[in-house]
Amino acid sequence: MDPDVSVLLHCERWQGLLESQVQVELSERFNRQKDPAVERHIDELWTERVSREPWLFNGAKFRLHSFCFAPPKHPPSTRSSHIPLLNCAEDRVGQTNSRSVLEDVLQQTHGKLFQDSSACCCTDISPDIHSRSGPLLTLRLGLTCYKDYLGTNWSSQVAELRRRGEAEFSDPLALLAQPLGVGAVLRTADGRVVLIRRSQKVAEAGGLLDIPGGHPEPKVVCERLGQAVCEENISVEMMQQKLEVVVSELFSSVCAEIRDEVNVPLSSLGEPVLMGVGLNHTSAGRPSAEFYVSCSLTSDEVRKLYWKGGPEAHESTDVVFLSRAELLQLDSSSPLWSDLCPSAKGAVILYQTVKPDGGTEKTTPQNGPT
């Protein structure tokens, strides 16, 4: 559909997943592979970037390594630093190797949607989202940081890093940071979807329309677990005692981003529904978990709050509203499409696929965005 974005996984079968239906597996084995030459390259790029933009700071992020629908049949091996292909994918393709599932699916779906939900989930899962109480989706996470993201995913040498990852680790993504972002399709009480115009001063996609979004923060997880620690000292071990707090941060962080960027209070937001994960190919396939979040306020009320300004008001310059019908009709042939940043495109595609708000109501198209 668009070379800038593709869908890694979607939850169409259940019209999205709630927090109780997602779990994480957190391990250092899911971290980026280290290499002395690559680390020197990252340090050089970071030093040069900070000299130009001294306000930048490094921060820990979660790294998405792979995923599986339904709990794995067998616990992951602790004898190897390489993660075998997930069981649901093994059943589908009839083979086992050490390639990252992220890269396998990325190659299969680059530039287009999954055509069948069975392509990314096991076939023995009930389509009814309420039919089982346990988690339906496992996300395998490691740790990375913003510095590594700029030095790998945004490096001019990213093609070489991918080549080396394939040759040395049987995984083209092994040397890349791949931080997991979050974004929200925010829908108001009167059926409008909220987009914001990114400031020209932000690091990526300046001037383009985006959805509210950011990152789940490992530091927040540590703080919730009573561990005050600086970003550089955050480790996997600090968070392994209660992995449900990591899941909570994944879901709550998207609401925090809405609050900070759009100035909508948390009390006006519904429970986030995970639609899936999109990939931004302008940054080497960086993943972003995209959510649907309902809002009890009307678009006029949201607009007034936005212009009052929130903690991150400097990151955007305008707010735009689309009707649900307009969002469902958006594609690469639409004039507005080229005005969307990749993360927004991925969220739109997932919304059109998953239809987390039911997809049965009829909305009269408006005369363009407002």
Side-chain angles (χ1 to χ4, degrees), residues 196-202 204-210 317 339:
I196 52 177
R197 177 78 64 183
R198 293 175 64 84
S199 167
Q200 293 288 358
K201 297 180 180 180
V202 296
E204 300 175 37
L208 296 179
L209 287 175
D210 199 3
T317 59
D339 205 23

Side-chain angles (χ1 to χ4, degrees), residues 287-307:
S288 181
E290 309 296 359
F291 295 83
Y292 168 80
V293 180
S294 62
C295 178
S296 62
L297 304 176
T298 66
S299 54
D300 283 342
E301 290 171 324
V302 170
R303 180 184 286 107
K304 290 176 183 177
L305 288 170
Y306 172 84
W307 286 114

Side-chain angles (χ1 to χ4, degrees), residues 86-106:
L86 297 175
N87 290 310
C88 59
E90 289 171 6
D91 294 341
R92 175 163 54 87
V93 301
Q95 62 180 2
T96 302
N97 57 37
S98 59
R99 180 182 297 275
S100 164
V101 173
L102 283 171
E103 180 64 20
D104 282 344
V105 182
L106 185 152

